[in-house]
């Protein structure tokens, strides 16, 4: 069982216990355990199997959680969770998010009307069923209708890329307001989390009322949730929330540090401050002795005051950043400008919308020095995947235009070759051998059992023609979970055979995730950040991959395509 799957079970336990109003300490124990396990870069299952290891010696995992983990790993489920799930269906939790409805009424509605989805609830409102129920009435029914959109959207967090679009649009709007002196985004958006729950903006301004008025005048605002003296929250579009806080110039750094989070990171900074006889909060760093202000204007000063170097927001999850700070070994995180090549893209030969030449020209425009054309192989019939003959035709065309691009762009002969359901590659080795770059990926049979999927991936890694495994876990954020796979074995094999692993930069994939990336870094497996572009614009997603890589703590050194093609080729040959 993957660590993430175990963590998800404990997170769900915590959520359901919280919903039932259980003891907060019990809830927190599950939350802490979940976080510990999610961030652990060793397999919990492996630790349990090792008679010389004790899982409960890891901070955050007590005796109770150890027992639960054992049950979970050996039986695949947790009786307590099954019981809670029956008691509290998912739809009741979703319904309880409707303003004014609450847990009790949601449960009652669900039972009385046998509601299975928010869609059912909407239909029940339209059919006037709720107003007729005892204790509900017309007003409640209307309130439910009004709040449904929120509950529907609350069930989802938006992709970072969508948050980025909105944040940039709001920034542009706010820049028209003359009274603003300083402004920065905070929260999960600044940390670059793969999804964002809401946006948090911090502003220093002369005239607070004017700034709030201007914020409310944002064209896409639908409502104002609350407007106080220093904080205002609006809703944008159907349901997305944006918070703005107004702070004093002298507190800006402290507020930025505080509201960037994460909460876990802040808890740790508070502890460090306390050990130094200091107190840190959103207003500044203060002496515990006489309450005098020590720092607050900039984030650098705030961190320096508690004896830490400035820490990049992407690292602020209380994973390794404090250890690295103490050792003076904070990584110099990779940047977009470090990327030299893009090794995953499609053209009109399969399901892309741009031709080979158009992709090549777009790559030059983006400052790249090499690209690999990696259209789909024949198994992907829906995308008119290439058989050996058509692939060789494409390569011949690459040969023909290479001289034209000489000195400007190296165009590599590549292929995204499917790993077949029964194992083995979708194209014969004698064809793959002629390629400069072979991505191997799974598009079919994603529901197979863990052993089978792992075997398929190991088979691809052991094939000498394969250079890199594309989107190694197959997940689609908010839409499809990763397939069952033993990532530890996959990584060990990649290391042994000198293969690279992809970080697919598509904002819905971001596959590998940051925990896997950190593990790849530790094992010195080259990571390739690729766009998987299916159009010219598709090449612009590289930035999202960079964010994710930074969250994994990756530097230029850890990423293969920050090197020239010759250096990368050599690196993979000697690995
Ligand atoms: P999100 O919005 O769910 O994607 O995640 P964040 O991290 O942006 O969370 P948010 O918007 O609730 O709060 C922004 C930051 O404020 C959070 O990362 C840490 C900081 N913060 C510190 N203490 C607290 C607290 O007690 N409650 C909340 N909500 N935030 C806190
Ligand atoms: Ca937020
Ligand atoms: Ca917020
Ligand atoms: Zn692809």
């Amino acid at each position: 069982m993957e660590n993430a799957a175990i963590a998800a079970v404990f997170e769900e336990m915590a959520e359901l216990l919280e919903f039932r109003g259980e003891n907060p300490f019990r809830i927190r124990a599950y939350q802490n355990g979940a976080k510990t396990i999610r961030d652990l870069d060793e397999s919990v299952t492996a630790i349990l199997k090792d008679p010389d290891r004790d899982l409960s010696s890891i901070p955050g995992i007590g005796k109770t959680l150890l027992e639960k983990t054992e049950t979970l790993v050996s039986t695949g489920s947790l009786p307590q969770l099954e019981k809670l799930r029956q008691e509290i269906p998912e739809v009741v939790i979703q319904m309880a998010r409707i303003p004014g409805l609450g847990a009790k009424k949601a449960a009652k509605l669900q039972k009385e009307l046998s509601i299975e989805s928010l869609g059912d609830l909407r239909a029940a409102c339209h059919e006037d069923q709720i107003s007729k129920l005892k204790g509900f009435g017309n007003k409640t029914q209307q309130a439910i209708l009004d709040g449904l959109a929120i509950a529907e959207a609350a069930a989802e967090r938006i992709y970072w890329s969508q948050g980025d679009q909105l944040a940039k649009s709001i920034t542009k709007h706010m820049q028209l307001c003359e009274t603003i002196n300083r402004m920065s985004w905070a929260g999960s958006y600044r940390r670059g989390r793969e999804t964002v729950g809401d946006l948090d903006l911090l502003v220093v301004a002369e005239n607070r009322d004017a700034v709030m008025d201007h914020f409310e005048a944002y064209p896409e605002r639908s409502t104002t949730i609350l407007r106080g003296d220093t904080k205002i929250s609006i809703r944008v579009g159907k349901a997305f929330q944006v918070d703005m806080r107004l702070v004093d110039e002298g507190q800006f750094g402290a507020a930025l540090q505080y509201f960037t989070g994460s909460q876990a990171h802040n808890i740790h900074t508070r502890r460090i401050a306390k050990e130094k006889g200091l107190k840190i909060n959103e207003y500044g760093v203060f002496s515990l002795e006489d309450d005098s202000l020590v720092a607050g204007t900039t984030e650098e000063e705030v961190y320096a005051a508690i004896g830490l170097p400035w820490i990049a927001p992407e690292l602020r999850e209380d994973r390794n950043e404090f250890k690295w700070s103490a050792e003076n070994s904070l990584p110099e995180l990779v940047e977009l400008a470090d990327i030299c090549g893009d090794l995953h893209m499609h053209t009109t030969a399969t399901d892309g919308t741009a031709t080979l030449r158009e992709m090549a020209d777009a790559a030059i425009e983006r400052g790249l020095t090499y690209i690999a054309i990696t259209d789909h192989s024949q198994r992907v019939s829906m995308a008119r995947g290439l058989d050996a003959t058509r692939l060789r035709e494409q390569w011949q065309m690459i040969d023909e235009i290479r001289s034209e691009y000489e000195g400007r762009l190296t165009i590599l002969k590549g292929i995204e070759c499917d790993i077949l359901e029964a194992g083995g590659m979708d194209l014969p080795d004698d064809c793959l051998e002629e390629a400069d770059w072979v991505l191997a990926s799974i598009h079919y049979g994603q529901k197979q059992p863990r052993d089978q999927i792992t075997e398929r991936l190991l088979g691809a890694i052991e094939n000498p023609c394969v250079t890199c495994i594309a989107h190694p876990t197959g997940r689609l954020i908010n839409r499809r979970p990763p397939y069952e796979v033993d990532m530890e074995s996959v990584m060990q094999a990649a290391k042994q055979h000198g293969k690279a692993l992809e970080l697919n930069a598509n904002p819905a994939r971001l596959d590998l995730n940051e925990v896997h990336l950190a593990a790849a870094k530790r094992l010195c497996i080259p990571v390739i950040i690729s766009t998987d572009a299916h159009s010219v614009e598709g090449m612009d997603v590289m930035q999202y991959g960079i964010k994710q890589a930074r969250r994994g703590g990756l530097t230029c050194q850890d990423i293969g395509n920050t090197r020239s093609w010759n250096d990368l080729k050599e690196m993979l040959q000697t690995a």
Side-chain angles (χ1 to χ4, degrees), residues 110-214:
Q110 191 271 328
K111 265 212 194 82
E112 301 235 18
L113 300 175
S114 322
I115 283 166
E116 284 174 18
S117 68
L118 291 177
D120 285 355
L121 182 63
R122 193 180 280 284
C125 289
H126 287 309
E127 287 161 21
D128 238 11
Q129 292 183 28
I130 290 164
S131 63
K132 291 185 189 123
L133 279 181
K134 209 173 146 229
F136 284 87
N138 252 323
K139 255 174 114 180
T140 317
Q141 180 166 294
Q142 192 54 47
I144 290 172
L145 267 178
D146 291 344
L148 252 170
I150 294 162
E152 279 158 358
E156 281 180 38
R157 300 165 56 84
I158 63 171
Y159 295 153
W160 189 88
S161 58
Q162 296 170 314
D164 185 49
Q165 256 176 12
L166 178 57
K168 288 195 168 123
S169 152
I170 293 174
T171 302
K172 221 164 138 190
H173 171 75
M174 294 309 286
Q175 277 164 348
L176 301 173
C177 183
E178 279 165 10
T179 161
I180 293 178
N181 297 333
R182 284 177 86 179
M183 183 166 84
S184 173
W185 291 98
S188 55
Y189 168 61
R190 183 166 183 242
R191 301 199 310 281
R193 265 192 71 172
E194 53 199 32
T195 63
V196 177
D198 70 8
L199 285 174
D200 304 275
L201 183 63
L202 285 184
V203 169
V204 177
E206 309 289 334
N207 184 339
R208 294 188 164 189
D209 263 337
V211 178
M212 290 208 187
D213 289 346
H214 190 85

Side-chain angles (χ1 to χ4, degrees), residues 87-373:
E87 201 181 309
I88 312 164
E90 171 70 19
V91 69
V92 172
I93 295 177
Q94 291 176 354
M95 285 163 69
R97 292 197 188 110
I98 296 172
L101 201 56
K104 277 216 181 87
K105 276 191 166 175
K108 189 166 174 222
L109 267 185
Q110 191 271 328
K111 265 212 194 82
E112 301 235 18
L113 300 175
S114 322
I115 283 166
E116 284 174 18
S117 68
L118 291 177
D120 285 355
L121 182 63
R122 193 180 280 284
C125 289
H126 287 309
E127 287 161 21
D128 238 11
Q129 292 183 28
I130 290 164
S131 63
K132 291 185 189 123
L133 279 181
K134 209 173 146 229
F136 284 87
N138 252 323
K139 255 174 114 180
T140 317
Q141 180 166 294
Q142 192 54 47
I144 290 172
L145 267 178
D146 291 344
L148 252 170
I150 294 162
E152 279 158 358
E156 281 180 38
R157 300 165 56 84
I158 63 171
Y159 295 153
W160 189 88
S161 58
Q162 296 170 314
D164 185 49
Q165 256 176 12
L166 178 57
K168 288 195 168 123
S169 152
I170 293 174
T171 302
K172 221 164 138 190
H173 171 75
M174 294 309 286
Q175 277 164 348
L176 301 173
C177 183
E178 279 165 10
T179 161
I180 293 178
N181 297 333
R182 284 177 86 179
M183 183 166 84
S184 173
W185 291 98
S188 55
Y189 168 61
R190 183 166 183 242
R191 301 199 310 281
R193 265 192 71 172
E194 53 199 32
T195 63
V196 177
D198 70 8
L199 285 174
D200 304 275
L201 183 63
L202 285 184
V203 169
V204 177
E206 309 289 334
N207 184 339
R208 294 188 164 189
D209 263 337
V211 178
M212 290 208 187
D213 289 346
H214 190 85
F215 189 60
E216 284 196 280
Y218 177 63
E220 283 165 67
R221 179 193 70 104
S222 50
T223 48
T224 296
I225 301 160
L226 69 92
R227 177 169 169 164
D229 290 338
T230 59
K231 182 185 168 183
I232 174 167
S233 298
I234 61 168
R235 230 185 274 294
V236 173
K238 216 165 78 179
F240 198 74
Q241 181 170 334
V242 185
D243 297 339
M244 179 174 75
R245 291 182 176 81
L246 292 155
V247 301
D248 292 340
E249 180 88 49
Q251 301 169 346
F252 187 76
L256 184 57
Q257 197 284 327
Y258 181 89
F259 289 111
T260 295
S262 66
Q263 223 159 328
H265 176 88
N266 287 354
I267 289 169
H268 203 137
T269 53
R270 259 174 257 156
R271 200 170 75 220
I272 291 176
K274 209 169 157 195
E275 284 162 9
K276 295 192 150 50
L278 298 164
K279 181 178 81 185
I280 179 170
N281 58 32
E282 66 261 55
Y283 306 111
V285 181
F286 301 89
S287 155
L288 276 177
E289 211 167 286
D290 58 7
D291 238 16
S292 63
L293 179 71
V294 181
T297 312
T298 68
E299 245 186 3
E300 284 82 356
E301 282 172 24
V302 166
Y303 277 109
I306 58 169
L308 295 175
W310 182 81
I311 297 170
E314 292 93 335
L315 297 176
R316 300 185 195 171
E317 301 288 347
D318 195 15
R319 290 199 180 117
N320 297 307
E321 70 270 30
F322 295 103
K323 188 183 91 189
W324 287 333
S325 301
E327 293 167 351
N328 212 358
S329 66
L330 275 171
E332 207 172 296
L333 301 176
V334 64
E335 287 172 14
L336 183 58
D338 296 328
I339 296 293
C340 299
D342 188 352
L343 294 163
H344 187 166
M345 65 185 65
H346 300 262
T347 71
T348 44
T350 60
D351 57 350
T353 61
T355 62
L356 210 167
R357 266 176 211 277
E358 285 166 341
M359 292 305 268
D361 293 339
I364 293 173
E365 255 172 59
R366 284 161 182 74
L368 302 179
T369 60
Y370 59 95
I371 57 170
I373 302 296

Side-chain angles (χ1 to χ4, degrees), residues 400-566:
E400 281 163 23
I401 67 169
R402 265 183 176 166
S403 60
E404 222 179 284
Y405 286 92
E406 178 119 40
R408 295 192 293 152
L409 185 76
T410 304
I411 304 173
L412 303 171
K413 298 175 186 171
I415 179 77
E416 179 179 13
C417 186
D418 258 62
I419 303 169
L420 297 172
E421 287 99 311
M425 302 298 287
D426 189 23
L427 289 169
D429 282 357
D430 72 324
C431 174
L432 296 179
E433 268 167 13
E434 294 168 30
D436 301 307
W437 186 256
V438 176
L439 294 172
S441 57
I442 288 184
H443 291 110
Y444 296 93
Q446 302 202 14
K447 295 224 168 91
Q448 287 175 356
R450 178 184 164 91
D451 287 350
Q452 203 173 345
I453 295 213
T454 306
E455 276 311 310
R456 288 166 72 193
L457 285 168
L458 294 182
I461 290 171
E462 283 158 19
N463 183 323
C465 303
V466 171
T467 22
C468 177
I469 302 292
H471 41 74
T473 77
R475 64 112 173 233
L476 290 176
I477 298 169
N478 279 351
R479 292 207 300 259
R480 186 175 75 202
Y483 37 69
E484 295 284 337
V485 55
D486 177 359
M487 270 312 281
E488 198 153 273
S489 300
V490 168
M491 289 209 186
Q492 288 297 346
K495 183 178 170 60
Q496 189 191 339
H497 294 276
K499 300 300 163 75
L501 295 177
E502 181 181 74
L503 160 51
N504 191 296
N506 182 315
R509 287 195 183 270
L510 295 174
D511 181 5
L512 299 173
N513 71 24
E514 76 270 31
V515 175
H516 287 141
L517 288 170
K521 174 190 169 90
R522 198 166 38 86
L523 291 169
C524 300
I525 299 167
V527 170
I528 307 288
I529 311 181
S530 307
T531 64
D532 198 354
H534 285 66
S535 64
V536 164
E537 303 76 43
M539 283 191 185
D540 294 325
V541 303
M542 186 62 86
Q543 51 171 324
Y544 308 129
I546 297 287
K547 266 267 172 264
Q548 182 83 327
R550 290 170 64 89
R551 287 177 59 75
L554 270 54
T555 67
C556 222
Q557 286 303 312
D558 305 316
I559 292 161
N561 53 323
T562 59
R563 292 167 170 74
S564 70
W565 168 239
N566 278 333

